[in-house]
Amino acid sequence: MFTLNSDERAIRETARDFADEFLAPHALEWDEHMHFPIEVLRKSGSVGLGGIYVAEDVGGSALRRLDAVRIFEELATGCPAVAAYISIHNMAAWMIDAYGDDAQRFRWLPGMTSMEILGSYALTEPGVGSDAAALTTKAVRDGDDYILNGVKQFISGAGANDVYVMMVRTGDEGARGISALIVPADTPGLTVGPNEKKMGWKAQPTRQVILTDARVPVANRLGAEGDGFRIAMNGLNGGRLNIAACSVGGAQAALDKTVPYLAQRQAFGAPLLKNQALQFDLADMRTQLEAARTLLWRAAAALDADDADKVELCAMAKRFATDAGFDVANKALQLHGGYGYLAEYGLEKIVRDLRVHQILEGTNEIMRVVVARSMTSTARGAGAA
């Protein structure tokens, strides 16, 4: 797992080359102007980044989750916000690939894998964050259609995308009443709110999605009625790993800026890099990132192997890597002093972008709940035995 073969190195280098050429040179400008670089997203599809773990028969790259986390780490060195949207698009594409029938797969996925069709994942609602099973967006059956009413919140790509994988309530309260629908963005009755002004992630739009008697064919449902919550949670396992990888990549970029800065910056008659206290800071930062990367790769391998502990490992990796990534980026800003606070150095953007990773795809508090539940259920089982 830790020694890459030639194919794995080539995959990683392709992602890094893409980040260096198409993301990093423009990241600060996109952030300043809240520009969503659709033209660059199209380019990412041409190198296989639109369907990283989607099957090849619909244009996907059919790679492993372990390959994916390495890809997203490298992409995030160029721009964590754009890398994170590519992750969300991939999650939506994978859900259609994994749970869709052939008609659904061949209708949507060739365009999604090429990034000609941009996808979004729509679960969160204004009054429903961590308690996803309590969502209230209704889908009422009317012949061969569902009629949708409700509001989704914090939907990445909304207003610029083409399709949503949306969780809606088709049955009673609770997780078993939720279904998953493929909802085209041009569906009559579907509108979006204004682009939200955020602390970070300014290079991708985030909007409400408002549904008012929006009619969607039953044929667009993924799986059976009531399968939606399971589909959503399975999608989030991979999404959590990808966001964790974006945190590691963003923080690595911040650390990579810091060492040469400390070598050049003089204080008290010597380069700052010669200060042992600052050397200790750098050592701790690298150690944090290496530990996060190791846990992340371990969790990705477990998800690939469908191991029994995959859910807890994905939660652990998400919690640890997003916390470590933000801490390292924030420390890198501190080590740059006042210059770190200036937009032109890029540190403050990384800090702003990485902060939300501790909230989305399940807050880090919820990740602790996931791990703790696994531990306590195992203990209860052992006690019963």
Side-chain angles (χ1 to χ4, degrees):
M1 186 191 305
F2 300 107
T3 302
L4 276 60
N5 61 34
S6 58
D7 289 340
E8 291 168 334
R9 287 195 300 273
I11 291 167
R12 196 174 185 181
E13 288 167 4
T14 297
R16 184 55 177 259
D17 290 345
F18 187 88
D20 289 346
E21 182 175 357
F22 295 109
L23 302 184
H26 311 290
L28 293 180
E29 180 184 358
W30 295 339
D31 179 79
E32 181 181 358
H33 297 289
M34 296 181 68
H35 174 68
F36 189 45
I38 292 175
E39 66 287 353
V40 173
L41 296 176
R42 306 276 193 240
K43 291 181 186 294
S44 76
S46 70
V47 293
L49 299 178
I52 295 170
Y53 33 84
V54 168
E56 291 178 314
D57 65 338
V58 285
S61 298
L63 298 176
R64 303 166 301 169
R65 301 296 182 142
L66 185 54
D67 298 310
V69 296
R70 293 167 179 160
I71 287 169
F72 284 110
E73 178 181 344
E74 299 303 329
L75 291 178
T77 63
C79 179
V82 174
Y85 173 74
I86 296 174
S87 164
I88 292 164
H89 171 91
N90 270 269
M91 180 165 64
W94 175 82
M95 293 165 81
I96 296 173
D97 189 38
Y99 296 102
D101 58 31
D102 281 346
Q104 293 165 341
R105 293 178 66 252
F106 282 97
R107 177 183 177 187
W108 294 105
L109 291 175
M112 293 182 77
T113 55
S114 69
M115 296 289 272
E116 291 300 317
I117 293 175
L118 300 182
S120 295
Y121 174 70
L123 173 64
T124 304
E125 297 181 0
V128 181
S130 296
D131 186 9
L135 67 83
T136 60
T137 296
K138 292 284 290 183
V140 177
R141 184 77 177 258
D142 181 33
D144 291 333
D145 296 327
Y146 288 109
I147 299 176
L148 277 57
N149 285 280
V151 179
K152 295 295 181 179
Q153 181 75 48
F154 304 132
I155 306 306
S156 291
N161 65 339
D162 303 286
V163 65
Y164 301 89
V165 176
M166 185 177 294
M167 304 304 141
V168 297
R169 185 162 300 286
T170 54
D172 295 334
E173 294 182 0
R176 294 183 180 180
I178 296 171
S179 298
L181 295 180
I182 304 169
V183 181
D186 61 358
T187 298
L190 186 155
T191 57
V192 297
N195 191 4
E196 291 159 340
K197 296 180 180 179
K198 307 184 293 291
M199 174 181 175
W201 268 28
K202 294 187 176 184
Q204 58 160 291
T206 307
R207 294 181 168 93
Q208 282 190 337
V209 177
I210 303 152
L211 301 147
T212 307
D213 293 332
R215 189 174 287 270
V216 176
V218 173
N220 284 24
R221 188 184 66 221
L222 293 175
E225 281 198 358
D227 284 349
F229 190 78
R230 176 178 63 88
I231 292 171
M233 294 303 104
N234 287 342
L236 281 174
N237 287 330
R240 287 165 180 167
L241 294 182
N242 294 346
I243 288 299
C246 289
S247 287
V248 172
Q252 185 66 59
L255 180 56
D256 290 344
K257 292 174 182 286
T258 303
V259 176
Y261 174 82
L262 295 180
Q264 297 165 8
R265 179 72 171 169
Q266 297 277 329
F268 307 106
L272 287 176
L273 194 60
K274 291 186 176 294
N275 184 301
Q276 191 174 63
L278 301 187
Q279 291 176 3
F280 287 172
D281 284 337
L282 293 174
D284 288 344
M285 292 159 74
R286 181 174 178 186
T287 301
Q288 280 183 279
L289 288 185
E290 198 62 34
R293 187 177 291 114
T294 299
L295 179 55
L296 182 57
W297 290 15
R298 164 77 174 91
L303 190 57
D304 282 327
D306 197 26
D307 289 346
D309 58 352
K310 64 184 180 184
V311 175
E312 307 93 272
L313 283 166
C314 289
M316 291 180 206
K318 193 271 180 181
R319 198 285 300 168
F320 187 86
T322 57
D323 282 349
F326 178 76
D327 288 345
V328 168
N330 195 42
K331 187 64 178 179
L333 188 156
Q334 182 72 19
L335 290 174
H336 277 74
Y339 292 104
Y341 204 64
L342 298 180
E344 65 189 273
Y345 280 74
L347 273 299
E348 60 86 32
K349 176 194 179 296
I350 295 173
V351 171
R352 288 187 288 105
D353 282 347
L354 298 194
R355 180 61 183 87
V356 74
H357 295 186
Q358 296 168 293
I359 299 171
L360 55 82
E361 310 284 31
T363 67
N364 284 4
E365 290 76 16
I366 292 297
M367 297 304 96
R368 291 177 172 89
V369 171
V370 171
V371 176
R373 280 179 179 168
S374 172
M375 296 171 68
T376 55
S377 64
T378 301
R380 283 197 299 270

